[in-house]
Amino acid sequence: MRRLQLGASDAAPRPGVVEWAPLTLLTLAVLVGAGLWVAGLRGAAQLVWVAVTLVALLPAGWTTLRQLWRRQFGVDVIAVLALVGALLVREYLAGAVIAVMVATGQALEGYAQRRATRDLRALLERAPRQARRRTPDGGIEVVSLDRVAVGDRLVVGPGDVVPVDGTVEEPATLDESVVTGESQLVTRGVGEQVASGVVNAGAGFGLRARKSAAESTYAGIVRLAEEATARKAPMVRLADRYAAAFVPFTLLLAGAAWLLSGQFLRAVAVLVVATPCPLLLATPIAIVSGLSRVARRGVLVRDGGSLEQLGRARTLLMDKTGTLTAGRPRAAETVVAPGGDRDEVLRLAASVEQLSPHVLAAALVRQAREQRLPLVEPTDVTEEPGRGVTGRVDGRLVRVGQLAGEPPEWARRVRERAELAGRSTVWVSDDRAPLGAILLEDPVRPDARRTVRRLRQAGLGRLIMVTGDRPRTAEQVARIVGVDDVIAQCSPQAKVARVKEESGRAVTVMVGDGVNDAPALAEAHVGVAMGATGATASADVADAVLTVDRLDRLADAVEIARYVRRIAVQSATVGMGLAVVAMVAAAAGGLPPLAGAFLQEGIDVLVILNALRALRGGLRRRDLPPETRELLERYAAEHGGVRDVLDRLRDTADLVATRPDAAECVPALREVHGRLVDEVLPHEAAEERHLYPALAGPLGSEEATSTMSRGHVEIGRMVDRIGGHLAQHPDGRLRPEEVPDLLAALYGLDALLRLHLAQEEEEYFSLNPEEGSAPAGP
């Protein structure tokens, strides 16, 4: 930022005491002069005030001359003219007050910049430089970070910063606040991925590097931080634009006052009150404060210009995969052949897929580990690209992939169900027949719909989803999240064209996470990359990066950007408006230079303090108390068990629908009813007693959970309805006339519970920073 300097020019913000030293010394000098004046030593007092004026004038004049030499004409010239004019008309105290005013602005600016950029500086200071690497002989060596290669086995000691992106080899307790902005400690299990830059808050653990240091998350964040701290805020350029009108107006008014009154003193008074500290200091302070705040929310913006554009945005284009959805497939449902075991089918498939690098294989293995299924090392593994993987598990031949031959009737129904739901199907077979199918989906982020609503509230009037996916799948996601338009089967070139088209109508933001999104991000007014997913190419061209894998932080950034821009413009317009009123009064002779200097000092302090409001406020979201977070974590973890019961419920409903006279129908009904009574209803009752009252504060009122409470009542009623049917069957057989009502209860309860779980995860669990990134249910 261009600013007047006392004793130095174009210097960086000075820390601590040095920052306030010029203001302190000049203020003391002015007070000493005042004391000399009161003591009758008026000549000595005036000499002191002249010295104070010259201390401000000489470096400021030199800076202004250099700017004019570079053809940079700004509002700085007014302050220089005011200092010169005060000396010419012998208003030495007024000149000294102007000098103090300039020093005050510098000190406040330095304080605000130091406070606003401390988060960015903290990123640079905490950047890891070394790593502990395991050696082939079992030892540990300390190496520089640039020597770490993909696949190296590292050791992260207690208190160490994780040096590179990697996979945890032992359970780890981590402080991810530097990267994500969240202070709560998190636990990562074996096989989970961690980003560089997080701090080990527990015992040492092993880490296998999956990226080099230069390609890791933290390196990208540091690069952006360096750029963000090096660039100028846009309101400085706005100040120069204002100068094109304000400086000539000031000089004309001062000249007119001198010409019409014949008093040069009036011209000096106009220049004194026109000193433009509100424009030079207050608005950049607001912008830099905004950069700091969005950084604390996990959004790193490259510069103030991007933040200002984000605050003016009216259109948002979002990629689907990895932005509105989790970006990685998840095993949504396991369907087995009649008489099969769901857990055994998943265990066999995951065991075979352990050695496959395919993204679908990782989803199966992850799901099996989450269910704590005992995986074994497969033998005789072969992989046919596009066909699948074959291997032996416990001596049994297992094939995972496409289905060979004519499928049986149950398999055809599964295939149709998957196509209707927009899911991928992985078939699990032995050497005789298919054993089952695992349906995979890319789930919508639980916070996506809430974030879309918040983005609309923040002023984005047009929200568009662009994706290369199939139209049916894309439209389903679009309906869930509530966007205005959806463009399916969209190539990277088509994305760029659409971004260019929308940018011609309004300020446009593009959000994406993949390499194929990079051209569209570069084309938008503001490109936002989901950097937590490791998409280096998109992050390198983006104007902002989400360092935490949470879409709602984009809504935080937009709300902060709009608030900061409003504060910045308010500070500039109010400050300059007050200055113009004072200038007119001075031109009319109603405000002498000394009084004008004190008045302008008050205006400066007022608008700068107003700009500091940008450090707080503007966010709609409410932070949760720690006890409420614990409740959300507890009940979110229980949803996995509830979904397991739902899978059994769906299997039982299918059995009753296809074979109502089978002997196993009633036993299956009794089993699933027992699990509903013993597992699901206690979960719902506990939420009603403990979780919903705790959410009344964060959500604004007790009425916010009333519809979900009604859902609990309906769930209990339908479980009782199923129990009522079972009570009528001592002989263990279903009567044909009761099958329709029983099926209505079974399928109705399945749909109701799935909707209820999805609503809780979207509306409630997404409020928790730790649980909000968990995928929503089917």
Side-chain angles (χ1 to χ4, degrees):
M1 183 180 68
R2 187 186 313 143
R3 58 186 184 276
L4 300 177
Q5 297 293 325
L6 297 176
S9 59
D10 298 332
R14 292 158 292 180
V17 176
V18 176
E19 187 175 85
W20 295 93
L23 173 61
T24 303
L25 293 176
L26 292 182
T27 302
L28 288 175
V30 172
L31 294 176
V32 168
L36 292 172
W37 183 276
V38 172
L41 302 174
R42 299 193 173 187
Q46 290 180 335
L47 285 176
V48 172
W49 292 332
V50 168
V52 171
T53 305
L54 289 174
V55 166
L57 175 61
L58 294 178
W62 175 247
T63 300
T64 301
L65 288 175
R66 286 199 310 160
Q67 292 170 356
L68 293 174
W69 179 259
R70 298 170 187 165
R71 298 182 180 179
Q72 295 175 345
F73 182 73
V75 286
D76 300 352
V77 66
I78 298 176
V80 174
L81 292 176
L83 290 168
V84 172
L87 292 176
L88 291 177
V89 298
R90 300 190 179 191
E91 289 282 347
Y92 302 129
L93 179 55
V97 172
I98 297 172
V100 171
M101 175 179 60
V102 172
T104 301
Q106 283 185 306
L108 286 173
E109 176 199 16
Y111 162 75
Q113 283 193 330
R114 182 162 46 84
R115 177 175 175 181
T117 59
R118 62 187 177 189
D119 299 283
L120 302 180
R121 290 199 310 272
L123 289 172
L124 303 178
E125 293 168 357
R126 298 179 64 150
R129 294 172 177 81
Q130 294 179 323
R132 295 185 177 94
R133 184 170 63 187
R134 297 186 191 272
T135 59
D137 59 2
I140 298 175
E141 61 178 348
V142 178
V143 298
S144 62
L145 214 55
D146 57 5
R147 292 179 56 193
V148 176
V150 176
D152 281 355
R153 299 185 65 211
L154 309 176
V155 176
V156 183
D160 284 356
V161 176
V162 174
V164 296
D165 293 1
T167 303
V168 174
E169 295 184 327
E170 302 161 76
T173 301
L174 302 172
D175 174 6
E176 300 185 345
S177 58
V178 173
V179 175
T180 67
E182 295 298 338
S183 59
Q184 193 171 14
L185 299 181
V186 298
T187 301
R188 302 296 180 195
V190 176
E192 290 193 66
Q193 296 179 357
V194 297
S196 58
V198 304
V199 179
N200 181 13
F205 64 91
L207 180 79
R208 185 175 293 275
R210 61 184 184 90
K211 287 188 178 181
S212 66
E215 296 174 342
S216 289
T217 301
Y218 202 72
I221 294 174
V222 169
R223 285 195 298 270
L224 288 174
E226 290 171 337
E227 294 178 16
T229 54
R231 298 193 183 190
K232 291 170 60 177
M235 288 299 180
V236 178
R237 295 192 294 272
L238 179 62
D240 293 339
R241 292 199 299 269
Y242 281 175
F246 185 75
V247 173
F249 169 76
T250 300
L251 296 178
L252 286 173
L253 183 62
W258 184 10
L259 181 64
L260 296 175
S261 67
Q263 299 179 22
F264 182 60
L265 188 66
R266 292 193 183 186
V268 174
V270 171
L271 294 174
V272 167
V273 294
T275 305
C277 284
L279 196 57
L280 287 173
L281 302 179
T283 47
I285 285 171
I287 293 293
V288 175
S289 300
L291 291 174
S292 172
R293 290 192 62 199
V294 296
R296 290 201 302 271
R297 304 305 305 173
V299 184
L300 201 62
V301 181
R302 285 186 186 273
D303 54 35
S306 299
L307 187 73
E308 186 197 16
Q309 290 281 62
L310 193 62
R312 297 173 51 225
R314 291 293 179 268
T315 302
L316 175 67
L317 289 91
M318 297 172 283
D319 181 48
K320 178 182 77 70
T321 305
T323 302
L324 292 172
T325 64
R328 59 181 186 179
R330 182 178 76 95
E333 185 179 0
T334 302
V335 184
V336 297
D341 186 309
R342 179 184 290 104
D343 289 344
E344 179 64 10
V345 168
L346 179 58
R347 186 187 76 85
L348 292 172
S351 295
V352 171
E353 292 280 23
Q354 286 181 98
L355 304 181
S356 174
H358 198 280
V359 64
L360 298 182
L364 298 182
V365 174
R366 184 169 56 249
Q367 184 73 13
R369 284 177 173 162
E370 288 176 359
Q371 296 185 16
R372 295 181 173 82
L373 300 179
L375 304 184
V376 299
E377 185 175 347
T379 59
D380 302 331
V381 177
T382 60
E383 184 165 359
E384 300 178 57
R387 301 288 299 175
V389 179
T390 302
R392 292 190 177 273
V393 179
D394 298 330
R396 183 180 185 182
L397 183 67
V398 178
R399 174 179 293 157
V400 182
Q402 292 188 5
L403 189 61
E406 184 66 21
E409 180 61 29
W410 71 268
R412 282 198 293 269
R413 291 197 301 269
V414 171
R415 179 180 289 171
E416 293 172 0
R417 183 198 303 180
E419 290 177 356
L420 289 173
R423 293 171 173 171
S424 303
T425 306
V426 175
W427 296 95
V428 185
S429 310
D430 60 11
D431 53 356
R432 296 186 302 274
L435 303 174
I438 301 172
L439 308 186
L440 298 170
E441 66 175 357
D442 184 11
V444 175
R445 291 174 180 267
D447 60 337
R449 187 174 179 84
R450 176 186 292 274
T451 300
V452 165
R453 290 200 302 266
R454 286 186 57 203
L455 289 167
R456 290 191 189 281
Q457 292 170 353
L460 287 163
R462 182 166 169 76
L463 303 176
I464 305 169
M465 187 181 82
V466 290
T467 177
D469 215 333
R470 295 170 297 176
R472 178 188 291 271
T473 303
E475 288 168 4
Q476 288 178 349
V477 174
R479 283 197 297 270
I480 291 173
V481 300
V483 296
D484 299 309
D485 193 8
V486 57
I487 307 167
Q489 294 181 328
C490 188
S491 66
Q493 294 79 9
K495 286 183 182 179
V496 172
R498 187 57 183 258
V499 170
K500 187 179 296 185
E501 178 185 342
E502 295 294 338
S503 297
R505 300 171 182 164
V507 176
T508 299
V509 179
M510 170 69 194
V511 186
D513 81 317
V515 173
N516 62 331
D517 296 323
L521 296 180
E523 185 65 37
H525 289 103
V526 182
V528 181
M530 302 289 288
T533 60
T536 306
S538 58
D540 284 345
V541 303
D543 301 294
V545 174
L546 298 179
T547 62
V548 56
D549 193 23
R550 285 179 59 86
L551 184 61
D552 64 339
R553 297 307 174 82
L554 176 61
D556 290 351
V558 171
E559 288 180 356
I560 291 173
R562 291 201 185 284
Y563 179 72
V564 164
R565 187 172 183 275
R566 186 165 64 249
I567 292 295
V569 173
Q570 180 188 89
S571 297
T573 54
V574 171
M576 302 316 293
L578 292 174
V580 168
V581 172
M583 289 162 59
V584 172
L591 194 65
L594 180 60
F598 281 108
L599 176 61
Q600 182 62 41
E601 178 79 0
I603 294 174
D604 292 345
V605 173
L606 174 67
V607 297
I608 290 172
L609 292 177
N610 181 66
L612 287 173
R613 291 170 51 215
L615 287 167
R616 297 185 180 276
L619 271 179
R620 297 175 185 271
R621 62 172 289 167
R622 304 185 183 188
D623 291 328
L624 298 175
E627 56 273 16
T628 305
R629 289 190 179 191
E630 292 176 5
L631 289 173
L632 288 171
E633 290 174 9
R634 181 198 311 170
Y635 293 115
E638 292 179 6
H639 272 202
V642 174
R643 283 203 168 84
D644 185 58
V645 178
L646 278 175
D647 290 339
R648 303 294 182 185
L649 177 65
R650 181 61 180 263
D651 289 345
T652 302
D654 291 345
L655 175 63
V656 173
T658 56
R659 301 165 58 201
D661 56 347
E664 60 265 30
C665 275
V666 172
L669 280 168
R670 293 194 187 282
E671 179 197 359
V672 76
H673 181 261
R675 293 193 64 181
L676 287 167
V677 171
D678 296 337
E679 299 177 37
V680 176
L681 292 186
H683 166 82
E684 306 296 338
E687 285 184 331
E688 189 69 38
R689 287 195 307 270
H690 304 297
L691 178 61
Y692 288 9
L695 289 172
L699 293 176
S701 73
E702 294 182 358
E703 294 300 316
T705 60
S706 60
T707 55
M708 301 299 288
S709 296
R710 180 65 178 86
H712 285 165
V713 173
E714 187 64 18
I715 290 167
R717 190 184 70 81
M718 297 192 76
V719 171
D720 290 342
R721 183 173 164 187
I722 296 171
H725 279 285
L726 285 172
Q728 302 174 17
H729 294 289
D731 58 352
R733 292 284 181 176
L734 294 177
R735 296 190 300 272
E737 63 271 16
E738 66 179 326
V739 169
D741 185 69
L742 183 58
L743 286 176
L746 291 169
Y747 284 122
L749 180 58
D750 175 76
L752 175 61
L753 265 172
R754 291 182 189 276
L755 175 62
H756 184 76
L757 296 183
Q759 287 175 322
E760 283 188 331
E761 288 163 355
E762 176 186 310
E763 297 295 332
Y764 306 154
F765 297 167
S766 65
L767 296 172
N768 187 4
E770 298 306 324
E771 294 299 327
S773 58

